Amino acid sequence: MSEAEARPSNFIRQIIDKDLAEGKHTSVHTRFPPEPNGYLHIGHAKSICLNFGIAQDYQGQCNLRFDDTNPEKENIEYVESIKKDVNWLGFQWAGEVCYSSDYFDQLYRYAVELIEKGLAYVEELTPEQIREYRGTLTQPGKESPYRDRSVEENLALFEKMRSGGFQEGEACLRAKIDMASSFIVLRDPVLYRVRFAEHHQTGNQWCIYPMYDFTHCISDALEGITHSLCTLEFQDNRRLYDWVLDNITVPCHPRQYEFSRLNLEYTVMSKRKLNQLVSEQLVSGWDDPRMPTISGLRRRGFTPASIREFCKRIGVTKQDNMIEFGSLESCIRDDLNENAPRAMAVLDPVKIVIENYAADTVEMLDVANHPNQPEMGSRQVAFSREVWIEREDFREEANKKYKRLVLGKEVRLRGAYVIKAERIEKDSAGEITTIYCTYDPDTLGKNPADGRKVKGVIHWVSVSQGVPAEFRLYDRLFSVANPAAEEDFTQVLNPDSLIRKHGFVEASLTEAQPEFGYQFERLGYFCVDNRDSSPESLVFNRTVGLRDTWAKIEAA
Ligand code: ATP
Ligand code: MG
């Protein structure tokens, strides 16, 4: 496939192709405009891949612009996390990071321009009255008694707002458009409000802050954005976007195009809801591996490539949709199946004692890191008289379908020998404590000489050479597909979304780097937790299982 063919095609790229062909633009300039009021989530990744992806493919530019007009809800921790997440996803913004707050002076002058043109006025109705006067979808709004103030009076009052002469809620600046418009956003929208709040970029320089609809279009125009891409809920706001730019003196008039948001089953995607999960300590933080945040997915073991691949697979349309959680998982599974080295771990250990194996011997076995990628090499795995196996890999009795260890029968230990279970020891509660076995010394890397067949292969870890580890197994954070539709989404959390196990890993894993994925043979894909793990006390996160067991559960 040529590079051009590998590019995704969607209605936005078609618009861009047409604009370039018609000479409307000679280059493409997009932007990703997060509000720094939370951490980025997988929905933002869709927007990031779209905006930065277009810039990459068209040799254009994409700005990272913080849409920072709500100082009370924003802070610098969010700014830093967003920069980090965008970079981690593999993208670099053009030039310096931009902030809407960089333009506060210019925005103020544009507001003055609107006032001078008789297109904006200082409102002194209370916020409740403003709401009342606005009307509804079926009823037109009512004009404010302050609507027809003179330009001079408005200029003086706006200056008074700026210099702290009004308390919050006492006055605001409104555009003078049309109180009867069928688009409620055009019913004299508020452009500026009074807020005595310290801003993370501008400190206490301002006590009036511009509203999103006024700020966004002007910021786009000042940055020379050609295509301003946002989600469908801003469709009506496009009228206001264009009205503002049509009525002030800006260098260019970018065009806004809307696409549908990403919704993912079994999770919530709004920052407000995610923030609530964090602040009510229903999760361990924004980067809890169960969160749909970029930092959570990263901590869980998702790779940037897998998230970009996911965004490519879901595409960009105007249709509202709900994506199955399994499609995100299959992207990381495909990546790790190909690229993750194999290793052995036992999550729920029971001890095997191989009675005919010398007690003081430790044998180093050479085991391939990947079954079909020889270039990934091999590693040394210690074998000894005592090994751990998975409790569920042994049964006292079983039919032929059970291809693991059964009392009196044989099984192969992966990369090592064939063993036979001879007898077991139980504690007073009836729980098996030890399985005594014998091994066939002539089966290392080859089948038994007498031709008998040993079908099952199980994984194991040496008792004396293995290392203890905690394993965190994650499941859906919510027990219903669309928690946002619930009256209280915190009531439908999945109580089993995190299960902790304590077992052992082969010693080579003490050198595992955080976030780097391994396939633990027969168990799934795991990575070292980037927060709670240390070489002395290993913690592994299960990124995803080996197969999509969820689809089967759903079907049943
Ligand atoms: P939230 O509702 O989660 O708070 P937001 O839209 O308020 O999201 P912003 O920080 O304003 O968050 O979003 C930055 C950009 O990311 C916007 O252009 C927005 O349209 C886009 N975006 C946000 N959520 C999604 C999503 N679920 N799918 C696609 N794009 C999204
Ligand atoms: Mg927003």
Side-chain angles (χ1 to χ4, degrees), residues 32-35 41 43-44 47 231 259 261-262 269-271:
F32 172 63
E35 181 178 359
H41 52 60
H44 293 114
S47 176
T231 35
F259 61 95
R261 295 177 84 81
L262 165 66
M269 205 75 94
S270 102
K271 279 183 282 183

Side-chain angles (χ1 to χ4, degrees), residues 29-34 63-69 98-108 110 192 210-228 241 244-245 248 250-255:
H29 203 151
T30 55
R31 85 287 170 267
F32 172 63
N63 291 1
L64 172 61
R65 183 201 314 140
F66 288 100
D67 174 24
D68 56 346
T69 55
C98 304
Y99 296 86
S100 294
S101 55
D102 293 342
Y103 315 126
F104 279 173
D105 284 319
Q106 280 143 295
L107 288 161
Y108 183 83
Y110 283 121
Y192 265 93
M211 300 299 286
Y212 169 86
D213 284 313
F214 183 64
T215 311
H216 202 81
C217 54
I218 296 176
S219 305
D220 281 348
L222 293 174
E223 291 174 14
I225 300 304
T226 54
H227 300 81
S228 180
Y241 186 105
V244 171
L245 296 185
I248 56 176
V250 276
C252 62
H253 187 141
R255 294 293 158 186

Side-chain angles (χ1 to χ4, degrees), residues 241-479:
Y241 186 105
D242 289 335
W243 183 91
V244 171
L245 296 185
D246 282 341
N247 285 294
I248 56 176
T249 317
V250 276
C252 62
H253 187 141
R255 294 293 158 186
Q256 176 183 305
Y257 299 95
E258 307 91 21
F259 61 95
S260 60
R261 295 177 84 81
L262 165 66
N263 299 301
L264 197 58
E265 285 186 343
Y266 297 95
T267 191
V268 291
M269 205 75 94
S270 102
K271 279 183 282 183
R272 190 181 55 77
K273 292 198 173 76
L274 295 173
N275 201 341
Q276 191 181 340
L277 292 174
V278 174
S279 59
E280 291 179 11
Q281 299 184 3
L282 298 169
V283 294
S284 66
W286 284 97
D287 66 350
D288 186 302
R290 295 166 295 179
M291 291 279 269
T293 51
I294 303 299
S295 50
L297 291 167
R298 171 182 186 167
R299 185 170 168 196
R300 175 133 163 198
F302 280 72
T303 59
S306 69
I307 294 176
R308 292 194 304 263
E309 173 64 21
F310 173 70
C311 293
K312 201 177 197 174
R313 289 187 195 175
I314 58 174
V316 176
T317 68
K318 274 178 161 319
Q319 262 77 55
D320 265 323
N321 51 28
M322 180 69 102
I323 305 287
E324 284 175 21
F325 202 86
S327 46
L328 176 59
E329 290 187 332
S330 72
C331 292
I332 185 62
R333 197 181 286 118
D334 290 353
D335 180 343
L336 295 177
N337 182 38
E338 182 114 345
N339 300 312
R342 276 44 175 171
M344 287 197 283
V346 174
L347 272 55
D348 182 19
V350 64
K351 191 186 278 184
I352 295 264
V353 176
I354 303 166
E355 292 180 287
N356 60 339
Y357 193 91
D360 49 357
T361 301
V362 174
E363 197 176 344
M364 297 311 289
L365 306 176
D366 194 53
V367 180
N369 286 330
H370 197 288
N372 35 35
Q373 308 230 32
E375 66 279 9
M376 286 175 74
S378 62
R379 66 194 188 283
Q380 301 287 299
V381 181
F383 186 76
S384 58
R385 176 183 163 93
E386 297 189 347
V387 300
W388 302 111
I389 65 163
E390 225 57 73
R391 193 165 279 281
E392 61 167 26
D393 283 344
F394 175 77
R395 283 192 197 162
E396 290 178 63
E397 279 177 273
N399 63 22
K400 282 214 171 65
K401 278 196 210 144
Y402 184 80
K403 299 225 168 14
R404 311 182 201 178
L405 186 59
V406 178
L407 195 57
K409 305 255 169 61
E410 289 186 312
V411 79
R412 176 175 289 281
L413 294 177
R414 166 89 76 203
Y417 300 92
V418 168
I419 59 166
K420 181 178 180 189
E422 306 285 355
R423 63 194 166 88
I424 53 175
E425 210 167 76
K426 294 183 179 177
D427 64 15
S428 54
E431 178 110 321
I432 297 170
T433 51
T434 312
I435 304 161
Y436 292 93
C437 298
T438 51
Y439 86 117
D440 180 344
D442 208 22
T443 53
L444 183 62
K446 57 184 184 206
N447 290 322
D450 61 6
R452 69 186 195 280
K453 293 269 184 294
V454 179
K455 287 249 177 67
V457 182
I458 62 173
H459 58 275
W460 54 276
V461 170
S462 158
V463 171
S464 64
Q465 307 298 305
V467 181
E470 176 182 329
F471 304 93
R472 297 180 182 169
L473 310 183
Y474 302 104
D475 201 344
R476 279 42 172 186
L477 184 51
F478 293 93
S479 52

Side-chain angles (χ1 to χ4, degrees), residues 24-41:
K24 208 158 149 190
H25 300 290
T26 50
S27 63
V28 177
H29 203 151
T30 55
R31 85 287 170 267
F32 172 63
E35 181 178 359
N37 61 350
Y39 280 61
L40 296 183
H41 52 60

Side-chain angles (χ1 to χ4, degrees), residues 475-476 548-556:
D475 201 344
R476 279 42 172 186
D548 186 5
T549 47
W550 189 256
K552 276 189 221 142
I553 296 167
E554 286 250 283

